Amino acid sequence: MSQLFDNYIAGEWRGSDHRIDNLNPSNTEDVIGRYAQATPDDVDAAVNAAAEASATWSVSGPLQRHAVLSAVSQGILARKEELGYLLAREEGKTKPEGIGEVARAAQVFDFFAGETLRLAGEKLPSVRPDIEIDITREPVGVVGAITPWNFPIAIPAWKTAPALAFGNCVVLKPANIAPGCAHALAEIIAAAGAPKGVFNLLMGSGGVAGKALLDHKGINAITFTGSVDTGRHIASECARTMKKVQLEMGGKNPLVVLDDADLDKAVECAVNGAYFSTGQRCTASSRLIVEQGIYDRFIDALAMRLGGLVVGDALKDGVHIGPLADESQLKKSRDYVEVGVKEGARLVCGGEAVEGDAPGYYMTPALFADATSEMRIVREEIFGPVASVMKASDFNHAVALANDTEFGLSAGICTTSLEKATRFKRAAKAGMVMVNLPTAGVDFHVPFGGTKGSSYGPREQGRYAAEFYTTMKTAYIGI
Ligand code: NAP
């Protein structure tokens, strides 16, 4: 009999007549648990509880918020191994990646515990005599957070922590594919002493629970991470209902490798950026743009390195690449391999579905060479272990190829030239630039986000998170 997991609404755990199975993608016979599915009535109850709690939490002092956020951070760390295992089991990242992500979630709460003590305002002179002006930041109110499955604890953390730190109440709807980590986060927040209603968890589908959140008048702001299509829909719904909105969406991130690059370093950047976490990262380097002088050597070295990677059960030691998160993710990646072949790109290696010891969604990392900018495998986000190499005639051509995309999240370059690295940093149309580093992998105390189709609204993370989670008040004081 599978364990039942309930929603967390108004400080209570609430079950549901309707539940879904959370399956292990490394072994689909392993049911992690049965997770409650929120109804529109549950959404209404959670939003109302958050609105009620907001009256006191929004004016709670920094000391109370600091204590709660610090306790959440410690609570996550205390369960780091267990939750890292759960993350790998429900999402398919390898266990070390899972444990790393859990530790990151703890760091995010710790950082925003500190931010509760640093929320500064401004005092300016008036242009009129005997008037002083104060500019202060206030909470937005009730924040609805809608999150994807690929970082099932880090993304809920990096939305919940700043929201709570700056005095907002939260209703979190995690992705249905991997709700287990968000459920554990709710347990930790409940145990950390957050007053009832300050944080609510609604597991359920985007079409029902997500839709009800978007429709609800009690939600003041929506922070969303997920695909471009869903993001577009959410933006238009938020415009219709006049909610503040922040969207973090897809990527098709370029990694440029110049002739003067350190080949070993460039190959490691590509392997890490394109294939780790099974390529299921918004910052994945799915476009490898390689200058002609190093092109053949880079492809040979990368193919050799990929051949040595172990694909398999995410929970087993020694595995480098776990399964895709579900059947549709596996099918999508395999379909794109077929598309790439039909488009005329050269499949250097990988792209085959493989059997594990148990039924799971395994695929070998696929590398295409001789790809061009018009191909769908180069233009569309695949979100799997598939990368395409394009040849660049020189630095300027490489930059033009890197920017030839509707996305703009992260852009990387491997070079030993300080001048070219600096020129790339200036020219890249992306929110984040990496020099001699993978395009994926970021710090938690600095802004995260992109340009063009990748992001909309203020940045997440670091102290800039205050832009979204607070609203400004300007006060004029006559003396
Ligand atoms: P998704 O399908 O867009 O889903 C994201 C979330 O939106 C899920 O919780 C989903 O619910 C919900 N949702 C779906 N339809 C909705 C609707 N009509 N109304 C309200 N909510 C709705 O994305 P995903 O497949 O989970 O995640 C992969 C995508 O996320 C990729 O494109 C990736 O690049 C992007 N991503 C971006 C970042 C970033 O920071 N830029 C980070 C990570 C991932 P259910 O799925 O539960 O139904």
Side-chain angles (χ1 to χ4, degrees):
M1 182 72 180
S2 300
Q3 195 179 343
L4 303 183
F5 293 89
D6 294 341
N7 284 313
Y8 186 64
I9 300 170
E12 287 170 7
W13 295 99
R14 286 199 201 169
S16 167
D17 293 339
H18 183 39
R19 292 178 183 272
I20 54 145
D21 288 343
N22 183 8
L23 298 182
N24 175 354
S26 296
N27 173 7
T28 53
E29 287 164 357
D30 173 26
V31 180
I32 297 161
R34 295 184 55 72
Y35 289 74
Q37 296 293 282
T39 62
D41 284 347
D42 291 329
V43 174
D44 194 44
V47 177
N48 291 341
E52 206 175 303
S54 179
T56 45
W57 184 253
S58 63
V59 291
S60 59
L63 207 53
Q64 185 184 3
R65 292 183 212 159
H66 182 272
V68 170
L69 270 77
S70 293
V72 174
S73 174
Q74 286 156 19
I76 295 171
L77 275 185
R79 295 176 62 181
K80 189 173 79 168
E81 301 286 326
E82 170 217 335
L83 295 185
Y85 181 90
L86 170 65
L87 199 161
R89 188 176 166 208
E90 73 170 347
E91 197 268 350
K93 280 197 178 91
T94 62
K95 216 167 16 146
E97 287 175 323
I99 292 168
E101 184 181 330
V102 173
R104 171 53 52 96
Q107 289 166 333
V108 169
F109 272 94
D110 186 49
F111 174 83
F112 282 105
E115 286 300 279
T116 61
L117 306 169
R118 288 189 285 263
L119 189 61
E122 277 184 275
K123 192 168 189 74
L124 291 181
S126 170
V127 294
R128 294 171 285 164
D130 293 337
I131 293 177
E132 290 189 350
I133 301 176
D134 282 345
I135 304 169
T136 48
R137 288 186 180 273
E138 295 189 344
V140 174
V142 178
V143 174
I146 301 178
T147 56
W149 46 264
N150 68 324
F151 284 97
I153 193 159
I155 294 180
W158 79 47
K159 294 182 183 306
T160 301
L164 297 183
F166 299 132
N168 303 282
C169 294
V170 173
V171 181
L172 168 66
K173 193 214 89 64
N176 245 351
I177 298 183
C181 286
H183 188 277
L185 181 63
E187 288 170 353
I188 291 166
I189 293 174
K196 74 171 191 179
V198 164
F199 175 84
N200 304 270
L201 173 74
L202 294 172
M203 298 172 294
S205 72
V208 177
K211 178 181 184 314
L213 267 184
L214 296 177
D215 285 342
H216 206 292
K217 288 195 171 62
I219 294 279
N220 305 103
I222 292 282
T223 174
F224 165 81
T225 300
S227 62
V228 174
D229 286 350
T230 311
R232 277 208 188 101
H233 169 71
I234 286 179
S236 69
E237 286 301 287
C238 287
R240 181 177 66 78
T241 55
M242 302 289 270
K243 293 176 175 53
K244 190 172 183 180
V245 66
Q246 171 187 59
L247 310 172
E248 285 301 339
M249 298 168 286
K252 194 75 194 175
N253 310 286
L255 176 70
V256 170
V257 178
L258 296 183
D259 285 349
D260 65 12
D262 175 326
L263 181 62
D264 291 344
K265 200 178 264 180
V267 167
E268 284 317 303
C269 286
V271 169
N272 178 320
Y275 300 103
F276 283 1
S277 301
T278 324
Q280 299 177 125
R281 290 187 286 189
C282 52
T283 46
S285 331
S286 46
R287 292 186 302 137
L288 306 172
I289 297 163
V290 183
E291 206 175 353
Q292 53 188 345
I294 197 173
Y295 188 82
D296 291 334
R297 278 184 296 140
F298 174 81
I299 290 170
D300 289 348
L302 179 55
M304 176 95 82
R305 179 78 169 80
L306 293 180
L309 294 180
V310 178
V311 177
D313 187 328
L315 297 171
K316 286 202 174 142
D317 291 339
V319 166
H320 302 110
I321 302 200
L324 280 294
D326 72 358
E327 194 173 1
S328 66
Q329 280 293 118
L330 174 62
K331 180 174 181 324
K332 188 172 160 206
S333 289
R334 299 260 297 132
D335 287 351
Y336 270 109
V337 172
E338 266 180 42
V339 168
V341 171
K342 281 199 190 118
E343 286 179 317
R346 173 164 59 95
L347 183 60
V348 179
C349 60
E352 300 113 22
V354 282
E355 302 274 312
D357 296 339
Y361 306 120
Y362 302 107
M363 172 180 155
T364 52
L367 177 65
F368 280 106
D370 307 339
T372 60
S373 252
E374 304 74 44
M375 294 178 176
R376 282 181 59 206
I377 53 167
V378 169
R379 302 219 74 79
E380 298 170 13
E381 186 185 46
I382 299 174
F383 219 55
V386 184
S388 308
V389 189
M390 289 185 282
K391 192 183 280 184
S393 50
D394 58 17
F395 172 77
N396 288 337
H397 185 211
V399 171
L401 288 173
N403 286 336
D404 185 10
T405 169
E406 67 183 62
F407 297 104
L409 191 55
S410 179
I413 188 165
C414 292
T415 176
T416 48
S417 159
L418 179 61
E419 184 212 325
K420 286 182 176 150
T422 307
R423 287 193 189 287
F424 184 78
K425 197 175 68 173
R426 289 184 189 163
K429 304 274 184 261
M432 296 175 290
V433 176
M434 311 289 180
V435 176
N436 294 321
L437 289 169
T439 54
V442 296
D443 283 9
F444 57 88
H445 65 305
V446 289
F448 177 95
T451 59
K452 299 197 273 184
S454 290
S455 301
Y456 182 85
R459 288 281 188 270
E460 297 204 271
Q461 304 213 65
R463 66 188 167 87
Y464 295 88
E467 298 298 324
F468 180 71
Y469 292 101
T470 63
T471 181
M472 310 299 301
K473 179 172 277 177
T474 310
Y476 294 80
I477 303 116
I479 52 173

